[in-house]
């Protein structure tokens, strides 16, 4: 039997986790995330308007809680990808607990890092406690605002606008067509 190929997934949010679930049957998967748990992007509006409800519905879960990953060939690294060298098929990562970078070789690379928006998606190391605190801090910032402008027309924008309408403040939903 041929040795299993290694798939590195840079970013272990919703997409990275689902990819690991399906491709972990065929590949040795290395998931790299600055978070120690999945912070789902689903139901953003609830997250920013009622973080207690959002947290109680399982949108923030330790990776070990995903039964579909049991038995798969999966290693999760709490780290940040600092560079990619496609000519050598490797990524450089920085772990939270180390000053040194390390190299991880791959046969296939999936970049599933999402975006950094400076608001709630940041490439920073977080454990469960600091992630929860960030979510509550964000909700408090929005709750204190007199006016909220939601730019964009995606599902997160619509969910945020809807949930903010429940709160007594003005919401501008600027949808660019």
């Amino acid at each position: 039997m041929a040795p299993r190929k290694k798939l590195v997934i840079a970013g272990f949010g919703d997409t990275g986790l689902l990819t690991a679930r399906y491709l972990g049957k065929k590949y040795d998967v290395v998931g790299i995330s600055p978070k120690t748990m999945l912070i789902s992007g689903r139901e953003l509006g609830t997250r920013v308007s009622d973080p207690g409800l959002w947290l109680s519905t399982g949108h923030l879960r330790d990776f070990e809680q995903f039964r579909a990953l049991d038995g798969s060939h999966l290693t999760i690294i709490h780290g940040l990808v600092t560079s990619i060298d496609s000519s050598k098929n490797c990524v450089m990562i920085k772990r939270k607990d180390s000053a040194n970078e390390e190299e991880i070789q791959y046969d296939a690379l999936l970049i599933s890092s999402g975006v950094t928006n400076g608001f709630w998606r940041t490439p920073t190391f977080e454990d469960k406690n600091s992630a929860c605190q960030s979510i509550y801090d964000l909700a408090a910032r929005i709750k204190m605002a007199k006016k909220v402008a939601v730019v964009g027309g995606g599902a997160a924008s619509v969910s945020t606008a809807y949930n903010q309408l429940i709160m007594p403040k003005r919401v501008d939903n600027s949808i660019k067509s």
Side-chain angles (χ1 to χ4, degrees):
M1 179 179 249
R4 293 168 64 97
K5 293 190 176 201
K6 184 189 288 187
L7 167 65
V8 169
I9 301 175
F12 221 58
D14 293 319
T15 301
L17 190 70
L18 287 170
T19 301
R21 176 183 177 203
Y22 289 104
L23 294 181
K25 298 170 187 167
K26 183 177 179 181
Y27 293 88
D28 286 330
V29 176
V30 177
I32 303 169
S33 175
K35 316 301 184 206
T36 60
M37 79 304 304
L38 172 70
I39 304 174
S40 177
R42 293 184 359 210
E43 297 302 326
L44 174 65
T46 305
R47 181 186 343 178
V48 299
S49 61
D50 190 348
L53 175 62
W54 185 84
L55 288 166
S56 73
T57 54
H59 295 299
L60 187 141
R61 302 175 81 182
D62 292 324
F63 292 125
E64 294 78 25
Q65 290 181 305
F66 291 91
R67 289 186 304 263
L69 297 176
D70 290 349
S72 66
H73 296 261
L74 172 65
T75 302
I76 300 173
I77 295 174
H78 187 202
L80 286 167
V81 174
T82 58
S83 65
I84 300 169
D85 186 340
S86 59
S87 68
K88 292 178 20 181
N89 281 16
C90 71
V91 294
M92 296 299 293
I93 66 160
K94 166 88 175 73
R95 293 182 189 249
K96 181 178 182 180
D97 54 0
S98 174
N100 301 320
E101 290 188 342
E102 66 183 90
E103 181 179 283
I104 298 177
Q105 298 287 319
Y106 61 81
D107 296 300
L109 172 65
L110 170 67
I111 300 172
S112 177
S113 58
V115 297
T116 300
N117 63 14
F119 191 39
W120 65 85
R121 288 185 171 182
T122 56
T124 55
F125 288 108
E126 284 188 309
D127 59 19
K128 200 168 195 171
N129 289 336
S130 61
C132 287
Q133 187 61 53
S134 294
I135 291 166
Y136 278 101
D137 290 348
L138 173 61
R141 283 176 38 209
I142 291 175
K143 191 173 186 175
M144 290 181 350
K146 293 181 176 133
K147 181 177 178 182
V148 175
V150 180
V151 179
S157 173
V158 172
S159 177
T160 301
Y162 172 78
N163 282 284
Q164 293 303 316
L165 283 170
I166 296 169
M167 299 166 63
K169 68 178 65 193
R170 183 170 170 203
V171 175
D172 288 336
N173 189 1
S174 304
I175 299 175
K176 190 174 185 177
S177 51

